Amino acid sequence: MKVPKSTKTLNNILIICSLFLSHGLLAQDVAIKKKDQAHIDSLKSTPYPYFLPIYGDRVQKLGHDLPLPFGIMVNYVGQETRLDITNMQLSFDGSEFVPMEFIQFDTVKNTAHVVNVRADAWIFPFWNVYALYARTQSSNNIELISPFEFEIPTEPTADTYGMGTVLAYGSGNYFAVANFNAAWSHISSLNEPVFGTVTSFRVGRSFGFRKRYHNINLSIGLQHQYLARNSTGSLPLKDVFSRFDQAKLQEIKDEIGDAAHNWYDDLRPSQKIIVDKLVTEIDNWLAGRTPGDAKLGYRFDKEPLGSVSLQLGVQYNHGKSWWYRMETGIGRGRVQILLSANYRFGL
Protein backbone atom coordinates (compact mmCIF):
# COMPACT_ATOMS: atom_id res chain seq x y z
CA MET A 1 0.00 0.00 0.00
CA LYS A 2 1.37 3.39 -0.90
CA VAL A 3 2.06 5.69 2.08
CA PRO A 4 0.60 9.20 1.64
CA LYS A 5 3.22 11.88 1.15
CA SER A 6 1.83 13.89 4.12
CA THR A 7 2.33 10.90 6.42
CA LYS A 8 5.94 10.49 5.26
CA THR A 9 6.59 14.18 5.90
CA LEU A 10 5.11 14.01 9.39
CA ASN A 11 7.18 10.91 10.23
CA ASN A 12 10.35 12.64 9.02
CA ILE A 13 9.57 15.65 11.21
CA LEU A 14 8.95 13.42 14.22
CA ILE A 15 12.21 11.55 13.70
CA ILE A 16 14.07 14.89 13.73
CA CYS A 17 12.09 16.09 16.75
CA SER A 18 12.88 12.92 18.67
CA LEU A 19 16.56 13.85 18.54
CA PHE A 20 15.96 17.09 20.42
CA LEU A 21 16.93 16.82 24.06
CA SER A 22 16.44 18.47 27.40
CA HIS A 23 18.03 21.69 28.50
CA GLY A 24 18.12 23.75 31.72
CA LEU A 25 18.76 27.43 32.61
CA LEU A 26 22.13 28.51 31.14
CA ALA A 27 22.03 25.19 29.18
CA GLN A 28 21.03 21.84 30.65
CA ASP A 29 21.30 19.13 28.06
CA VAL A 30 21.27 15.36 27.67
CA ALA A 31 22.50 13.66 24.51
CA ILE A 32 20.82 10.67 22.88
CA LYS A 33 22.54 7.35 23.46
CA LYS A 34 22.36 4.42 21.11
CA LYS A 35 19.63 2.10 22.30
CA ASP A 36 19.79 -1.64 22.06
CA GLN A 37 17.18 -3.27 19.87
CA ALA A 38 15.25 -4.74 22.80
CA HIS A 39 14.80 -1.31 24.34
CA ILE A 40 13.73 0.16 21.01
CA ASP A 41 11.14 -2.56 20.56
CA SER A 42 9.88 -1.92 24.09
CA LEU A 43 9.45 1.78 23.36
CA LYS A 44 7.51 1.07 20.20
CA SER A 45 5.08 -1.24 21.96
CA THR A 46 4.59 0.81 25.16
CA PRO A 47 1.97 3.62 25.25
CA TYR A 48 3.46 7.05 25.97
CA PRO A 49 2.29 7.89 29.52
CA TYR A 50 2.41 11.73 29.51
CA PHE A 51 0.41 14.47 27.80
CA LEU A 52 3.53 16.53 26.99
CA PRO A 53 5.42 17.00 24.82
CA ILE A 54 3.02 17.26 21.91
CA TYR A 55 3.65 14.33 19.53
CA GLY A 56 5.50 12.54 22.33
CA ASP A 57 3.43 9.41 21.71
CA ARG A 58 4.26 9.37 18.00
CA VAL A 59 7.95 9.95 18.67
CA GLN A 60 8.07 7.04 21.13
CA LYS A 61 6.31 4.73 18.66
CA LEU A 62 9.14 5.45 16.25
CA GLY A 63 11.50 3.91 18.84
CA HIS A 64 12.98 7.11 20.28
CA ASP A 65 13.29 7.74 24.00
CA LEU A 66 12.26 11.13 25.41
CA PRO A 67 13.32 12.91 28.60
CA LEU A 68 10.69 13.50 31.28
CA PRO A 69 8.62 16.51 30.21
CA PHE A 70 8.58 18.65 33.38
CA GLY A 71 11.38 19.92 35.56
CA ILE A 72 12.14 21.94 38.69
CA MET A 73 15.65 23.29 38.93
CA VAL A 74 17.59 25.09 41.66
CA ASN A 75 20.72 26.99 40.63
CA TYR A 76 23.44 28.86 42.45
CA VAL A 77 25.31 31.46 40.37
CA GLY A 78 28.36 33.34 41.61
CA GLN A 79 29.45 36.15 39.33
CA GLU A 80 31.96 38.99 39.37
CA THR A 81 31.31 41.76 36.86
CA ARG A 82 33.25 44.94 36.17
CA LEU A 83 31.44 47.98 34.80
CA ASP A 84 31.81 51.71 34.32
CA ILE A 85 29.43 54.35 35.68
CA THR A 86 28.86 57.29 33.31
CA ASN A 87 26.45 60.21 32.78
CA MET A 88 25.88 60.78 36.49
CA GLN A 89 22.96 63.07 37.36
CA LEU A 90 21.80 64.18 40.80
CA SER A 91 18.69 65.73 42.26
CA PHE A 92 18.04 67.06 45.72
CA ASP A 93 14.82 66.20 47.52
CA GLY A 94 12.71 65.76 44.39
CA SER A 95 14.18 68.55 42.25
CA GLU A 96 15.00 68.10 38.58
CA PHE A 97 18.00 65.96 37.75
CA VAL A 98 21.16 67.94 37.01
CA PRO A 99 24.01 66.48 34.90
CA MET A 100 27.14 66.20 37.05
CA GLU A 101 29.71 65.24 34.43
CA PHE A 102 32.57 66.43 36.66
CA ILE A 103 31.87 63.44 38.96
CA GLN A 104 33.89 60.45 37.81
CA PHE A 105 34.12 56.92 39.16
CA ASP A 106 36.69 54.19 38.94
CA THR A 107 35.61 50.92 37.31
CA VAL A 108 33.15 49.22 39.67
CA LYS A 109 33.54 45.61 40.73
CA ASN A 110 30.18 43.97 41.38
CA THR A 111 30.10 40.61 43.15
CA ALA A 112 26.75 38.80 43.05
CA HIS A 113 25.49 35.62 44.68
CA VAL A 114 22.29 34.38 43.04
CA VAL A 115 19.93 31.55 43.94
CA ASN A 116 17.23 30.92 41.37
CA VAL A 117 14.40 28.45 40.94
CA ARG A 118 13.12 27.47 37.52
CA ALA A 119 10.11 25.44 36.39
CA ASP A 120 10.04 24.19 32.80
CA ALA A 121 8.04 22.05 30.39
CA TRP A 122 8.73 20.55 26.97
CA ILE A 123 5.95 21.69 24.64
CA PHE A 124 7.39 19.83 21.65
CA PRO A 125 10.28 17.37 21.72
CA PHE A 126 12.57 20.18 20.53
CA TRP A 127 11.03 23.20 22.32
CA ASN A 128 11.12 23.97 26.04
CA VAL A 129 9.65 26.95 27.91
CA TYR A 130 10.30 28.00 31.49
CA ALA A 131 9.63 30.58 34.20
CA LEU A 132 12.16 31.62 36.82
CA TYR A 133 12.55 33.49 40.08
CA ALA A 134 15.90 34.58 41.53
CA ARG A 135 17.11 36.19 44.74
CA THR A 136 20.38 38.10 44.55
CA GLN A 137 22.72 39.45 47.21
CA SER A 138 25.43 41.65 45.75
CA SER A 139 28.18 43.99 46.87
CA ASN A 140 29.72 46.94 45.03
CA ASN A 141 32.89 48.83 45.74
CA ILE A 142 32.11 52.23 44.23
CA GLU A 143 35.12 54.57 44.21
CA LEU A 144 34.76 58.27 43.42
CA ILE A 145 37.99 59.53 41.82
CA SER A 146 36.99 63.07 40.81
CA PRO A 147 36.60 65.82 41.98
CA PHE A 148 37.84 64.13 45.19
CA GLU A 149 38.33 60.57 46.33
CA PHE A 150 36.26 58.36 48.60
CA GLU A 151 34.65 54.94 48.58
CA ILE A 152 30.95 54.08 48.76
CA PRO A 153 30.33 50.45 49.75
CA THR A 154 26.86 49.16 48.86
CA GLU A 155 25.14 45.79 49.31
CA PRO A 156 21.89 45.86 47.32
CA THR A 157 19.53 42.91 47.05
CA ALA A 158 17.32 42.01 44.10
CA ASP A 159 14.25 39.92 43.30
CA THR A 160 14.15 38.79 39.68
CA TYR A 161 11.27 37.39 37.65
CA GLY A 162 11.62 36.10 34.13
CA MET A 163 10.79 33.62 31.40
CA GLY A 164 12.72 31.84 28.70
CA THR A 165 12.80 29.29 25.93
CA VAL A 166 15.14 26.57 24.70
CA LEU A 167 15.67 24.94 21.31
CA ALA A 168 17.72 21.75 21.30
CA TYR A 169 19.00 19.29 18.71
CA GLY A 170 20.88 16.03 19.09
CA SER A 171 22.34 13.41 16.80
CA GLY A 172 24.00 10.32 18.20
CA ASN A 173 26.16 11.41 21.12
CA TYR A 174 26.38 15.04 19.98
CA PHE A 175 24.03 17.91 20.75
CA ALA A 176 23.47 21.63 20.20
CA VAL A 177 21.37 23.88 22.45
CA ALA A 178 20.20 27.50 22.13
CA ASN A 179 18.75 29.31 25.14
CA PHE A 180 17.15 32.75 25.60
CA ASN A 181 15.58 34.32 28.66
CA ALA A 182 14.36 37.77 29.64
CA ALA A 183 14.06 38.96 33.24
CA TRP A 184 13.16 42.01 35.32
CA SER A 185 15.15 42.66 38.51
CA HIS A 186 13.71 44.74 41.35
CA ILE A 187 16.88 46.09 43.00
CA SER A 188 16.70 47.60 46.47
CA SER A 189 18.87 50.61 45.56
CA LEU A 190 16.94 51.54 42.39
CA ASN A 191 13.44 52.88 41.83
CA GLU A 192 12.64 51.05 38.59
CA PRO A 193 13.08 47.37 37.61
CA VAL A 194 16.17 46.63 35.54
CA PHE A 195 15.59 44.63 32.34
CA GLY A 196 18.13 42.07 31.20
CA THR A 197 18.50 39.13 28.83
CA VAL A 198 20.72 36.08 28.57
CA THR A 199 21.35 34.42 25.19
CA SER A 200 23.54 31.36 24.82
CA PHE A 201 24.52 28.66 22.37
CA ARG A 202 26.34 25.44 23.25
CA VAL A 203 27.52 22.28 21.56
CA GLY A 204 28.74 19.15 23.27
CA ARG A 205 29.10 15.41 23.52
CA SER A 206 27.62 12.78 25.82
CA PHE A 207 29.60 9.90 27.35
CA GLY A 208 27.43 7.09 28.63
CA PHE A 209 27.89 4.51 31.38
CA ARG A 210 26.74 0.91 31.26
CA LYS A 211 23.62 1.74 33.25
CA ARG A 212 20.93 3.31 31.09
CA TYR A 213 20.29 7.05 31.54
CA HIS A 214 23.52 7.51 33.52
CA ASN A 215 25.93 9.67 31.53
CA ILE A 216 28.22 12.69 31.55
CA ASN A 217 27.81 15.55 29.09
CA LEU A 218 30.60 18.00 28.24
CA SER A 219 29.75 21.28 26.52
CA ILE A 220 31.36 24.45 25.21
CA GLY A 221 29.63 27.60 24.06
CA LEU A 222 29.15 31.34 24.17
CA GLN A 223 26.86 33.41 26.36
CA HIS A 224 25.74 37.02 25.93
CA GLN A 225 24.34 39.03 28.82
CA TYR A 226 22.49 42.27 28.20
CA LEU A 227 21.64 44.73 30.96
CA ALA A 228 19.64 47.93 30.51
CA ARG A 229 22.04 50.85 30.85
CA ASN A 230 19.87 53.46 32.58
CA SER A 231 19.40 53.29 36.33
CA THR A 232 17.52 55.64 38.63
CA GLY A 233 17.29 55.60 42.41
CA SER A 234 17.26 57.68 45.56
CA LEU A 235 18.55 57.45 49.12
CA PRO A 236 17.62 59.38 52.27
CA LEU A 237 20.47 61.74 53.09
CA LYS A 238 20.66 60.34 56.62
CA ASP A 239 21.42 56.91 55.09
CA VAL A 240 24.10 58.43 52.86
CA PHE A 241 25.81 60.32 55.69
CA SER A 242 25.64 57.41 58.11
CA ARG A 243 27.98 55.45 55.83
CA PHE A 244 30.84 57.87 56.60
CA ASP A 245 32.49 58.80 59.86
CA GLN A 246 32.55 62.41 61.01
CA ALA A 247 36.17 62.92 59.96
CA LYS A 248 35.48 61.84 56.37
CA LEU A 249 32.45 64.10 56.07
CA GLN A 250 34.50 67.00 57.39
CA GLU A 251 37.20 66.17 54.84
CA ILE A 252 34.66 66.24 52.00
CA LYS A 253 33.29 69.57 53.20
CA ASP A 254 36.78 71.07 53.44
CA GLU A 255 37.65 69.72 50.01
CA ILE A 256 34.71 71.53 48.45
CA GLY A 257 35.48 74.79 50.26
CA ASP A 258 39.26 74.75 49.81
CA ALA A 259 40.31 77.60 47.54
CA ALA A 260 43.22 75.49 46.29
CA HIS A 261 40.74 73.26 44.52
CA ASN A 262 39.06 75.30 41.80
CA TRP A 263 36.71 72.65 40.38
CA TYR A 264 33.77 74.24 42.21
CA ASP A 265 34.32 77.60 40.47
CA ASP A 266 33.95 75.95 37.08
CA LEU A 267 30.53 74.47 37.82
CA ARG A 268 27.34 75.68 36.21
CA PRO A 269 24.80 77.45 38.46
CA SER A 270 22.49 74.41 38.57
CA GLN A 271 25.41 72.20 39.63
CA LYS A 272 26.50 74.67 42.33
CA ILE A 273 22.98 74.60 43.78
CA ILE A 274 23.17 70.82 44.25
CA VAL A 275 26.67 71.03 45.75
CA ASP A 276 25.69 73.90 48.06
CA LYS A 277 22.67 72.01 49.36
CA LEU A 278 24.80 68.96 50.06
CA VAL A 279 27.38 71.06 51.91
CA THR A 280 24.60 72.62 54.00
CA GLU A 281 23.25 69.19 54.91
CA ILE A 282 26.77 67.98 55.78
CA ASP A 283 27.13 71.00 58.08
CA ASN A 284 23.83 70.16 59.73
CA TRP A 285 24.82 66.51 60.14
CA LEU A 286 28.19 67.43 61.68
CA ALA A 287 26.36 69.76 64.06
CA GLY A 288 24.05 66.95 65.14
CA ARG A 289 21.03 68.03 63.10
CA THR A 290 19.55 65.24 60.96
CA PRO A 291 18.31 65.96 57.41
CA GLY A 292 14.89 64.48 58.14
CA ASP A 293 13.28 62.87 55.09
CA ALA A 294 15.38 64.73 52.49
CA LYS A 295 16.59 62.44 49.69
CA LEU A 296 19.44 62.44 47.24
CA GLY A 297 18.28 61.24 43.83
CA TYR A 298 20.68 59.76 41.29
CA ARG A 299 20.56 58.66 37.67
CA PHE A 300 23.40 57.08 35.73
CA ASP A 301 24.38 54.72 32.92
CA LYS A 302 26.22 51.48 33.61
CA GLU A 303 28.43 49.97 30.92
CA PRO A 304 29.83 46.46 31.52
CA LEU A 305 33.38 46.02 30.25
CA GLY A 306 32.23 42.94 28.35
CA SER A 307 28.98 41.16 27.59
CA VAL A 308 30.17 37.87 26.02
CA SER A 309 31.75 34.95 27.87
CA LEU A 310 33.09 31.53 26.97
CA GLN A 311 31.11 28.79 28.78
CA LEU A 312 32.52 25.39 29.74
CA GLY A 313 30.15 22.90 31.34
CA VAL A 314 29.90 19.37 32.66
CA GLN A 315 26.64 17.61 33.56
CA TYR A 316 26.00 14.27 35.21
CA ASN A 317 22.63 12.62 34.58
CA HIS A 318 21.73 10.21 37.38
CA GLY A 319 18.85 8.40 35.70
CA LYS A 320 15.98 10.22 34.05
CA SER A 321 14.92 12.20 37.13
CA TRP A 322 18.08 13.81 38.57
CA TRP A 323 20.60 15.93 36.67
CA TYR A 324 23.53 17.83 38.18
CA ARG A 325 25.54 20.48 36.39
CA MET A 326 28.56 22.72 36.89
CA GLU A 327 29.50 25.45 34.44
CA THR A 328 32.01 28.26 34.38
CA GLY A 329 32.06 31.37 32.23
CA ILE A 330 35.04 33.60 31.47
CA GLY A 331 34.94 36.85 29.51
CA ARG A 332 36.23 40.41 29.50
CA GLY A 333 35.31 41.91 32.86
CA ARG A 334 33.28 38.86 33.83
CA VAL A 335 33.83 35.58 35.72
CA GLN A 336 30.97 33.20 36.55
CA ILE A 337 30.32 29.79 38.08
CA LEU A 338 27.02 27.88 38.09
CA LEU A 339 26.00 24.89 40.22
CA SER A 340 22.68 23.25 39.39
CA ALA A 341 20.37 20.46 40.49
CA ASN A 342 17.42 19.52 38.27
CA TYR A 343 14.57 17.15 39.15
CA ARG A 344 12.47 15.93 36.21
CA PHE A 345 9.08 14.24 36.29
CA GLY A 346 6.09 13.40 34.13
CA LEU A 347 2.36 14.09 34.38
Side-chain angles (χ1 to χ4, degrees), residues 203-229:
V203 295
R205 189 184 192 284
S206 177
F207 300 87
F209 299 107
R210 290 186 178 181
K211 192 173 183 179
R212 191 178 304 281
Y213 306 124
H214 289 64
N215 55 299
I216 288 180
N217 305 314
L218 302 180
S219 65
I220 184 172
L222 295 176
Q223 177 178 284
H224 177 271
Q225 292 189 16
Y226 164 79
L227 194 65
R229 292 182 56 184

Side-chain angles (χ1 to χ4, degrees), residues 21 30-34 170-175 204-208 217-218:
L21 302 168
V30 54
I32 292 177
K33 299 171 61 180
K34 290 184 178 180
S171 179
N173 288 329
Y174 297 91
F175 55 86
R205 189 184 192 284
S206 177
F207 300 87
N217 305 314
L218 302 180

